[in-house]
Amino acid sequence: MSLKLVKPTTSLQDAYMDFYQEWVNSGEEIIPSALRKDPTNFEALVQGLIDTEEGVGLPEGYVPATTRWLVDEKYKILGACNIRHDLTGPLLETGGHVGYGVRPSERGNGHATFMLKETLKFLKALEVPRALVTSNDDNEASMRVIEKCGGMQGLPFTEEDGNVVRRFWIDLRD
């Protein structure tokens, strides 16, 4: 299977809607959070992702972030990742540099590992010396992916609701 990360584009609307609907039907929260917006106005959704990458119109406290969709050779969207170019206080605690998710029917096929490796290359090109990648304490699969990609566990962060966020650092320096 040939995989690649692509920029969001309106030409993939049908593929995206299929991806999005699978998440909704699963009852799970859509990951990464950048994709939780209602896709009814698809053109606006795509433009919003492009604007966020370029740092246009960001709300107070937000940083530029690049979203990419993971597609196969038929341009079926298998997953998505969101790469934050910098870290704010809240991102240092729970968000990290990278958020990624694989649609429920495609999990267990190495897609998350592929996406994380590619996002680390992107962050290295941005001259980020160490990437922070986080996972909820109950997401064993994600923690294995992070460790497989060189993640070294740092101090966890406990959110107000008691959720424990595991924080992993990945050195990007040569």
Side-chain angles (χ1 to χ4, degrees), residues 47-160:
Q47 187 60 54
L49 294 172
I50 292 167
D51 288 348
T52 299
E53 180 172 353
E54 295 172 357
V56 174
L58 295 177
E60 179 83 24
Y62 278 64
V63 298
T66 298
T67 297
R68 294 291 182 263
W69 297 337
L70 176 67
V71 298
D72 64 12
E73 62 279 351
K74 295 179 183 175
Y75 281 82
K76 176 182 179 182
I77 298 176
L78 308 175
C81 55
N82 186 254
I83 310 158
R84 292 170 282 279
H85 301 184
D86 200 3
L87 297 178
T88 61
L91 290 174
L92 272 167
E93 293 171 345
T94 63
H97 283 101
V98 180
Y100 58 87
V102 176
R103 68 189 298 163
S105 66
E106 293 291 337
R107 293 181 185 151
N109 295 313
H111 301 328
T113 301
F114 177 85
M115 280 192 292
L116 183 53
K117 286 180 179 179
E118 292 299 306
T119 61
L120 294 173
K121 292 175 190 175
F122 186 93
L123 287 166
K124 187 172 184 169
L126 289 178
E127 299 182 354
V128 172
R130 289 186 333 147
L132 176 63
V133 186
T134 65
S135 173
N136 285 341
D137 191 46
D138 62 353
N139 192 339
E140 291 289 330
S142 184
M143 288 188 283
R144 281 193 306 272
V145 166
I146 298 166
E147 288 174 337
K148 184 188 242 182
C149 292
M152 300 297 293
Q153 197 164 162
L155 294 173
F157 181 83
T158 303
E159 297 176 305
E160 287 182 23

